[in-house]
């Protein structure tokens, strides 16, 4: 190259800046600090470029597994996202369906098992299913081996709506699986249909003998509770020693519930919401035989991931519910008293990150978020210095 063609240092700097502005060179975004009611919070973008990420799970090593709705599962390790993990089953990707939640086995250090939910294709369309597989890592490559479907919704339809779905291990080792009504409300009232329900199984898919319909006579053996519209947030609550869920209502009527064995949470017989046309749904907001929500939103915030904060980084949030919102693009912090009654709501980070799909508490007490965008991100919330 001649001297006339060789770029000067100043020209090289300008050229690099142009590349940065056009996105051809990656750069870490500066941390942002937010004032909340109780504490200043720092937000760091840990990863981007995920296509509609849906769920994340922490591994004992400190690595994180993250799912993308179009059917990819990756590992976030040392600040980098891996190539997609091989070995996933066939996934129906349409509408709200695809690869959904993920959790690690309670005994992951010894069994290396990963559990996940997804829209399973089959006769008539698709339905929510749960599976597990052994995670095998070889250098930069990873795969799932011995993949087994541990629960499958029998009635499959072409609807692209309301699959659920979250996975939560209880302290006794049983696994809760949440589903949506698939856009057909009365399926949530059919005890022989797993739509619009909370299910409870053993890690191998077998039925716990203390399930309310374990013998299968009056309901599905796996059934735990019914009358749910679309549960997209769930966590085990050490305070009340039970499952807590968040679910989408129609227009208004998003709910927080505490699903208990054999109980019916009302959808679509009772609801605080209305049809998108404005028409009334069901018979009102209460009726004998149907449980009331712990809390509801009207207008809807479109709640998704749920974490119940137990860490030491934010002692001000101890036992509070942290609820991600898709529609309002925020985290709703629901405060509680010593008995677990919801006493108030703080709306944090509204519009700062986009649609919040998942919320998880990390082992160090920080809070991690997933944004449901075409260029989805992993965001870490920590205490600002």
């Amino acid at each position: 190259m001649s001297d006339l063609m060789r770029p000067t240092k100043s020209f090289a700097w300008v050229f690099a800046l142009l590349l940065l502005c056009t996105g051809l060179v990656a750069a870490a975004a500066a941390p942002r600090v937010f004032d909340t009611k109780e504490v200043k919070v720092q937000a760091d973008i840990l990863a981007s470029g995920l296509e509609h990420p849906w769920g994340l799970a922490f591994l004992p090593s400190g690595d994180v597994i993250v799912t993308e709705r179009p059917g990819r599962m990756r590992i976030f390790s040392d600040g980098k996202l891996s190539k997609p993990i091989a070995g996933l089953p066939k996934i129906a990707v349409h509408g709200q369906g695809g690869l959904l939640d993920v959790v690690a086995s309670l005994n992951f250090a010894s069994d290396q098992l990963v559990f996940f939910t997804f829209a399973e294709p089959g006769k008539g369309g698709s339905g929510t299913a749960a599976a597990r597989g052994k995670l095998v890592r070889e250098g930069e490559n990873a795969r799932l081996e011995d993949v087994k479907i541990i629960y499958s919704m029998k009635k499959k339809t072409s609807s692209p709506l309301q699959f659920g779905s979250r996975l939560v291990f209880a302290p006794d080792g049983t696994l809760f699986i949440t589903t949506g009504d698939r856009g057909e409300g009365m399926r949530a009232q059919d005890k022989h249909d797993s739509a619009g329900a909370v299910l409870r199984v053993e890690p191998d898919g077998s039925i716990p003998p203390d399930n309310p319909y374990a013998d299968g006579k009056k309901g599905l053996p796996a059934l735990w509770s019914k009358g749910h519209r679309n549960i997209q947030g769930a966590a085990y609550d050490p305070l009340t020693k039970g499952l807590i869920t968040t679910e989408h209502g129609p227009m208004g009527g998003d709910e927080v519930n505490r699903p208990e064995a054999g109980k019916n949470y009302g959808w679509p017989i009772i609801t605080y919401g209305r049809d998108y046309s404005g028409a009334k749904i069901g018979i009102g907001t209460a009726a004998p035989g149907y449980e009331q929500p712990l809390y509801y939103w009207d207008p809807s915030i479109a709640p998704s991931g749920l974490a119940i904060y137990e860490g030491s980084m934010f002692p001000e949030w101890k036992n509070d519910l942290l609820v991600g919102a898709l529609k309002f693009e925020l985290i709703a912090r629901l405060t509680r008293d010593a008995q677990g009654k919801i006493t108030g709501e703080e709306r944090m980070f509204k519009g700062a990150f986009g649609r919040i799909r998942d919320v998880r508490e990390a082992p160090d007490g920080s809070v991690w978020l997933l944004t449901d965008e075409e260029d989805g991100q992993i965001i870490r919330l920590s205490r600002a210095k």
Side-chain angles (χ1 to χ4, degrees), residues 73 101-106 111 113-117 131-133 150 167 169 175 202-204:
M73 184 183 292
D101 204 18
V102 60
V103 295
S105 165
L106 295 179
D111 63 26
L113 291 177
V114 172
F115 294 75
F116 55 97
T117 54
R132 74 178 194 185
I150 60 171
L167 293 166
F169 274 108
L175 180 65
E202 299 288 355
D204 63 359

Side-chain angles (χ1 to χ4, degrees), residues 225-228 243-245 247 253-260 263-267 269-273 283-297 340 342:
S225 63
K226 285 290 283 184
H228 303 284
L243 187 70
I244 301 290
T245 61
E247 62 185 90
D254 297 341
E255 295 181 356
V256 178
N257 284 301
R258 186 178 185 271
E260 296 183 75
K263 293 189 177 181
N264 190 319
Y265 291 80
W267 174 257
I269 306 301
I270 63 168
T271 177
Y272 286 86
I283 61 174
T285 59
Y290 303 104
E291 303 301 314
Q292 284 291 301
L294 301 179
Y295 192 81
Y296 72 91
W297 288 274
I342 295 172

